[in-house]
Amino acid sequence: MSANGSANGCNGKSSTVDRRHEDTNGYHKHEPIVTNGHVTYQQNGTKQRANGGQHERNGTVTTGVTTTTTTTTTGRTVTVEEAPFHIVLCCYLSYAVLILFGYLRDFMRRTGVERTTSAVETGRDGYVALYKSFESFYTRNIYRRICDAWNVPIASVPGATIQIVDRLTPDYNHTFRYPGTTTDAINMGSYNYLGFAENTGVNVGKVEDTVGKYAVGVGTTRHECGTIDTQQELESRLAEYLGVESSIVFGMGFATNAANLPTLAGKGSLIISDEYNHASLILGCRKSGASIAVFKHNDMKDLESKIRLNIIAGQRRTHRPWKKIIIVVEGIYSMEGTIIDLPEVIRLKKKYRCYVYLDEAHSIGAIGRRGRGVTDYFGCDPRDIDLLMGTFTKSFGAAGGYIAGRKEIIDYIRQKRIDQLARNSRYFRRRLKQLGFVVLGDDDSPVVPVMIYFLSKISCIIRSVVTKGVGLVGAGFPATSLSTGRVRFCVSASHTKQMLDKVLDVMDEIGDRVSVKYSKLPKSDEIIVY
């Protein structure tokens, strides 16, 4: 794989977002510069200062709003609204109260005042305790009370609408009782970007025919007798679809990252990883035995700085040159909703002769004029990316399978769905912002995180929207830092405008009731056209 070629291999759009990050899993901690109460962010030559007074941005003046404004090498400007200080403070105080009462309840359990309903270790004298970490304490005393808002069972395919299984709990979510009823809801929580999660239609018939012919597994490894003609056809078509020379398929997306990164890097190699990379990428990097450097999320200046410093310093202790340097990034970050600044990543890769590993789990099929992911979105040559990774479980509604037909028909269906997804994503995001919510990510991203901050409010929102026929996903600690809890919408091409408007009306009502419309940006009366 060559790193030579023009640095201007892409056309189109780019986005960079720099956000505060709290250290997790041994990764570096990055904070904005704070001087005399003023917050200053510096990135890609663009500086934005917010001090509670007035400041000018893009020709308009806003008051009392802390924002991060960044301009990328391709000229795109992205503004992210920071959480107000009093919200962050209250969020930490609420956790402090919960933790204090958690320790009090643990004491009451040990003394027999309160009944213990969690797992208890017995007969393990001399063994290291299994349930002494903070994560166990958090699960036992905080998460347990709100876990009914997570891991919600459904009784249907995860299409545009779902049937949520009703359940009741008599003991604060330690056990559940199922009355045998379901609630119909608009599905805003599944990675069903192109709307292929269905159990009726022509595609389903083809899947059934294939399962009838080949069964559901081969019972052996690919290296022995486990390679069949449909796998080879899939790999051939996938390579052609992506515009690369070859491909190989695996049975699980998480394992694709976790198991294959160690085969690409080892001792003497350097992996430079985005701080918000998925857990599967982090696990693969750690298993590889390579040295790891972390750069600020989507910050190309910090990435270049990390590359330069590590090239100069060389390997740890010996200072010999690195055997290889691999930049590991994602196409769309599912927790942030941001799109990688791929043109700049490619430029740096060519400038410093690095390799690029691009995880397109959330971008393949979901963005780009032809639905071919972030390379298609920016108009980049996919051959400039050394390793493209993706999954079939999100946009394509499959697991280890791929549906194909006549080229002109597939192209028509794919283009129609891609255009619909882009329209839905932009409309839904702009309306949420207009309602006063703090929304992260790019306008073109189908992953729409809305900042809620408080864990109790996240669970309250999830419970409330279900009663009104909407299903969505919440994310809190440890998936996020303590003060960056959020709910997350996943927009699909199968959502109609009526569905999106219903979700917006529900969020508008609940947002006022729960007081989570934290945005201080000026409200716009503009009529947003679908």
Side-chain angles (χ1 to χ4, degrees), residues 158-186:
T161 60
I162 53 176
Q163 293 179 328
I164 297 177
V165 177
D166 297 329
R167 53 183 181 171
L168 306 172
T169 177
D171 51 8
Y172 299 103
N173 300 330
H174 284 280
T175 61
F176 290 98
R177 180 171 59 84
Y178 297 88
T181 58
T182 61
T183 298
D184 292 332
I186 299 172

Side-chain angles (χ1 to χ4, degrees), residues 239-469:
E240 180 182 358
Y241 174 70
L242 296 174
V244 295
E245 294 180 358
S246 182
S247 70
I248 181 172
V249 297
F250 299 88
M252 181 181 179
F254 191 102
T256 301
N257 282 331
N260 286 291
L261 274 170
T263 69
L264 303 170
K267 187 176 181 181
S269 301
L270 173 67
I271 295 175
I272 304 181
S273 174
D274 188 292
E275 65 176 341
Y276 289 158
N277 274 344
H278 189 264
S280 60
L281 291 171
I282 296 174
L283 179 60
C285 291
R286 291 177 173 175
K287 288 175 60 181
S288 71
S291 297
I292 302 172
V294 180
F295 67 95
K296 297 178 184 178
H297 176 55
N298 221 355
D299 186 337
M300 297 300 108
K301 287 182 70 69
D302 191 52
L303 172 58
E304 182 169 18
S305 174
K306 292 292 193 304
I307 295 173
R308 290 170 62 90
L309 289 174
N310 280 281
I311 289 177
I312 293 171
Q315 297 184 37
R316 314 291 191 258
R317 293 190 297 275
T318 65
H319 302 292
R320 294 176 179 173
W322 298 101
K323 295 179 179 179
K324 68 180 76 169
I325 298 177
I326 303 176
I327 302 170
V328 178
V329 292
E330 297 183 40
I332 289 180
Y333 288 83
S334 62
M335 283 292 181
E336 309 303 315
T338 49
I339 300 174
I340 188 65
D341 189 356
L342 188 61
E344 185 67 2
V345 171
I346 292 175
R347 185 189 72 82
L348 294 176
K349 164 245 169 109
K350 292 180 176 180
K351 180 178 180 180
Y352 296 102
R353 295 184 176 274
C354 303
Y355 296 99
V356 174
Y357 184 101
L358 176 63
D359 181 340
E360 293 221 74
H362 290 270
S363 53
I364 188 65
I367 60 173
R369 184 176 60 85
R370 298 169 298 174
R372 299 184 182 183
V374 71
T375 56
D376 189 23
Y377 178 78
F378 286 109
C380 297
D381 187 345
R383 292 171 295 184
D384 286 334
I385 307 299
D386 300 292
L387 289 168
L388 288 161
M389 178 272 170
T391 65
F392 301 112
T393 56
K394 297 174 176 66
S395 289
F396 304 122
Y402 193 84
I403 304 296
R406 293 205 312 272
K407 186 177 185 302
E408 60 270 22
I409 298 177
I410 296 300
D411 287 346
Y412 170 77
I413 295 173
R414 182 182 298 119
Q415 187 62 53
K416 185 175 180 180
R417 286 179 179 267
I418 291 168
D419 292 343
Q420 180 70 21
L421 175 61
R423 184 184 303 113
N424 286 351
S425 299
R426 296 188 189 110
Y427 174 76
F428 190 69
R429 280 178 166 276
R430 293 181 65 189
R431 284 291 313 279
L432 280 175
K433 291 178 181 178
Q434 192 178 53
L435 292 174
F437 293 99
V438 176
V439 182
L440 300 184
D442 293 78
D443 285 345
D444 292 323
S445 172
V447 180
V448 187
V450 175
M451 300 305 294
I452 305 300
Y453 305 109
F454 297 92
L455 199 62
S456 56
K457 291 190 176 184
I458 295 174
S459 58
C460 177
I461 290 172
I462 294 175
R463 292 167 183 152
S464 298
V465 298
V466 169
T467 65
K468 298 181 180 296

Side-chain angles (χ1 to χ4, degrees), residues 470-489:
V470 176
L472 54 82
V473 175
F477 181 84
T480 68
S481 61
L482 286 176
S483 62
T484 59
R486 64 201 69 181
V487 295
R488 188 175 59 181
F489 301 87

